[in-house]
Amino acid sequence: MSMIRDLRAVVRPSRVSLRKDGGTYDATRSPGAATAVVDCAVYRDGRRIETETALTPHEAVRLVRRDGGFVWIGLHEPTEAEFSGIASEFGLHPLAVEDAVQAHQRPKLERYDDSLFTVFKTIHYVEHDQLDANSEVVESGEVMCFTGRDFFITVRHGGQGSLRALRHRLQDDPELLAKGPSAVLHAIADHVVDGYIAVADAVQDDIDEVETEVFSPGRKGAPRGSDAGRIYQLKREVLEFKRAVSPLLRPMQLLSERPMRLIDPDIQKYFRDVADHLARVQEQVLGFDELLNSILQANLAQASVAQNEDMRKITSWAAIIAVPTMVCGVYGMNFDHMPELHWRYGYPVILGFTVVVCLGIHRTLKRNGWL
């Protein structure tokens, strides 16, 4: 158990960086690269076998089958032609190969005869100075893992979610790598879920900011409806987050609870910890969705109240203007025989009466909160 005791410290030494310039997200295949293979290495007794030149997958397979150990091949967005040779070399199932090449799969765990096929969705928080209705909050990618008795293959899609730093950390702990491909699978699962936790904390800050601004009294300068647009955008980003988190919970529970030939028993118990962290993130994401619904409803209620106040003000001024309109309408008929038409004080009396009535209506409406 000593070789497993520090497992959490090895695969999770620190929180995942949220910035694109952090070490976790800057390693992607060069557009001019001739191959999709990012790294190919053979591990024996937990240590990487050093060679004079970079190993090809075919050479790595021959080395493993001759001397033992396992091979870890990392690929980034391979084409069908690039992946077909590796797939045939390891006898990967055609359906899993098709999913790995085409991407856009939901998180899942599939068992084939001699391998496990696992799909993880990676989530990266997009830094922004000001959250608006067009801000992108999260970016998603995919990591597909093929786990066999003597091989481990990762296929990444998207410009973030590099596993290079994780590979280096695992290589620094040969006792852990000696457990074989299942140790790498656990490390990747833990790495992905740690990314979820970091993104959830950042999204929580955005939601708190929007909530504070929505309920801030007397906030001026923001156009009406801008808060609703930001809330709706956050809901869309949270929905993408939920699509990555929720389907993964069942595969993690299977890996932690059901005995599998390809999963080392000493490693399996640590999948339970990953499943617990994932369940916590799922609860947090579901809470985000409910909270954003409440904030959106409150924002719409505030807009309705503001519209009602506007209508009350318009109605109040219309009532005030109705008095001089009525008086002027009556005396504007210009009949010679109207009562008091030729009265010397009629004009000032009518003006004074109109002003007094208008001021009285204005005062009454203001006292009742209509103005």
Side-chain angles (χ1 to χ4, degrees):
M1 293 301 294
S2 61
M3 66 182 65
I4 303 300
R5 189 172 301 161
D6 297 329
L7 179 63
R8 301 298 298 173
V10 171
V11 299
R12 191 189 299 174
S14 60
R15 287 293 186 197
V16 176
S17 172
L18 293 178
R19 297 184 180 274
K20 286 185 178 179
D21 56 358
T24 305
Y25 298 106
D26 61 351
T28 59
R29 179 163 61 109
S30 172
T35 176
V37 178
V38 178
D39 199 353
C40 177
V42 172
Y43 297 89
R44 190 178 303 121
D45 297 327
R47 299 186 183 278
R48 180 169 181 154
I49 304 301
E50 299 296 338
T51 57
E52 295 181 358
T53 60
L55 288 173
T56 65
H58 181 68
E59 293 170 342
V61 171
R62 286 196 306 170
L63 193 60
V64 166
R65 291 174 181 172
R66 187 188 66 190
D67 301 324
F70 75 94
V71 57
W72 180 0
I73 303 175
L75 302 100
H76 181 242
E77 297 183 354
T79 63
E80 184 176 355
E82 289 173 324
F83 197 44
S84 60
I86 296 176
S88 61
E89 189 75 48
F90 293 99
L92 304 180
H93 196 280
L95 292 177
V97 172
E98 181 182 359
D99 289 346
V101 172
Q102 294 182 355
H104 305 295
Q105 306 297 317
R106 75 193 296 267
K108 60 183 178 180
L109 171 67
E110 294 179 344
R111 289 177 292 179
Y112 296 100
D113 294 336
D114 298 318
S115 65
L116 292 175
F117 177 59
T118 315
V119 177
F120 300 95
K121 275 194 173 294
T122 56
I123 297 295
H124 168 57
Y125 180 76
V126 180
E127 296 286 348
H128 44 263
D129 295 330
Q130 181 67 35
L131 179 66
D132 55 41
N134 298 316
S135 295
E136 186 177 12
V137 179
V138 297
E139 289 179 344
S140 63
E142 292 179 60
V143 176
M144 285 88 162
C145 302
F146 294 88
T147 307
R149 182 180 58 83
D150 57 0
F151 67 87
F152 190 83
I153 303 171
T154 58
V155 181
R156 287 196 304 111
H157 290 269
Q160 45 82 25
S162 170
L163 303 174
R164 182 173 299 176
L166 178 63
R167 184 190 286 260
H168 291 163
R169 291 202 300 269
L170 286 172
Q171 289 174 173
D172 291 336
D173 188 355
E175 292 186 359
L176 177 60
L177 269 181
K179 290 295 181 178
S182 60
V184 183
L185 179 62
H186 168 267
I188 291 177
D190 195 54
H191 173 78
V192 170
V193 173
D194 271 356
Y196 294 164
I197 294 174
V199 172
D201 292 340
V203 172
Q204 179 70 67
D205 292 338
D206 283 338
I207 294 176
D208 291 343
E209 177 185 346
V210 170
E211 183 180 22
T212 300
E213 293 182 0
V214 166
F215 291 100
S216 294
R219 186 167 62 97
K220 298 180 180 180
R224 185 171 296 177
S226 61
D227 287 332
R230 293 194 299 163
I231 297 169
Y232 183 72
Q233 180 65 14
L234 268 177
K235 281 183 62 66
R236 291 188 61 182
E237 300 297 316
V238 167
L239 178 61
E240 184 176 357
F241 195 2
K242 183 162 61 175
R243 287 172 180 166
V245 173
S246 297
L248 187 59
L249 187 58
R250 181 57 180 166
M252 290 298 101
Q253 291 173 343
L254 290 175
L255 287 171
S256 64
E257 298 170 359
R258 184 171 300 178
M260 298 182 185
R261 291 186 297 109
L262 298 174
I263 304 299
D264 188 286
D266 289 334
I267 295 294
Q268 186 173 30
K269 64 186 69 174
Y270 288 95
F271 279 104
R272 189 180 305 120
D273 184 64
V274 177
D276 289 341
H277 284 89
L278 186 63
R280 190 185 74 178
V281 175
Q282 184 190 33
E283 293 175 357
Q284 199 170 359
V285 172
L286 293 177
F288 290 162
D289 197 29
E290 295 178 2
L291 180 58
L292 286 171
N293 284 334
S294 300
I295 296 174
L296 183 60
Q297 291 176 0
N299 180 254
L300 294 177
Q302 288 178 339
S304 298
V305 170
Q307 290 177 353
N308 289 336
E309 291 179 352
D310 293 342
M311 291 302 300
R312 289 165 63 179
K313 291 179 180 179
I314 293 172
T315 303
S316 300
W317 286 111
I320 294 173
I321 295 174
V323 175
T325 301
M326 180 190 68
V327 175
C328 294
V330 171
Y331 277 87
M333 295 179 184
N334 298 322
F335 293 114
D336 286 336
H337 299 289
M338 288 184 66
E340 302 176 353
L341 184 63
H342 299 289
W343 183 33
R344 176 183 299 179
Y345 303 106
Y347 182 70
V349 169
I350 290 300
L351 287 181
F353 172 78
T354 302
V355 171
V356 170
V357 172
C358 290
L359 290 176
I361 295 175
H362 183 275
R363 182 178 180 181
T364 302
L365 294 175
K366 193 172 185 65
R367 186 172 60 243
N368 291 334
W370 282 56
L371 288 174

